[in-house]
Amino acid sequence: MKKFGVVGGVVSVLLGGLWLLQGVGAVHVRPILCFADCAALQGTSLTWAIVGACLVATGFVVLVFSLRRRARR
């Protein structure tokens, strides 16, 4: 169970970081798989920057608690 916390935390930090960078306009990634109207994100997006920052923070907290719990035992 501890390994899932570490893996989930790392994935959340990386994915949230990508969304944050896309939201502030620092990274531009073309859509890979589209199900509906497939349009690339143009310019900055406050929504994706906030969602990315929240996911990074959540992933970091999960990662810290998972590593902290593992170090105690």
Side-chain angles (χ1 to χ4, degrees), residues 5 8-10 12-13 16 51-65:
V10 168
S12 296
V13 168
V51 169
C54 290
L55 190 58
V56 167
T58 303
F60 184 71
V61 168
V62 169
L63 187 61
V64 166
F65 280 123

Side-chain angles (χ1 to χ4, degrees), residues 7-60:
V7 170
V10 168
V11 169
S12 296
V13 168
L14 293 175
L15 186 60
L18 176 63
W19 288 349
L20 177 64
L21 290 174
Q22 283 181 319
V24 297
V27 173
H28 303 284
V29 179
R30 291 183 316 137
I32 298 170
L33 181 62
C34 299
F35 293 104
D37 183 23
C38 189
L41 180 67
Q42 299 291 327
T44 61
S45 172
L46 182 61
T47 303
W48 283 111
I50 291 171
V51 169
C54 290
L55 190 58
V56 167
T58 303
F60 184 71

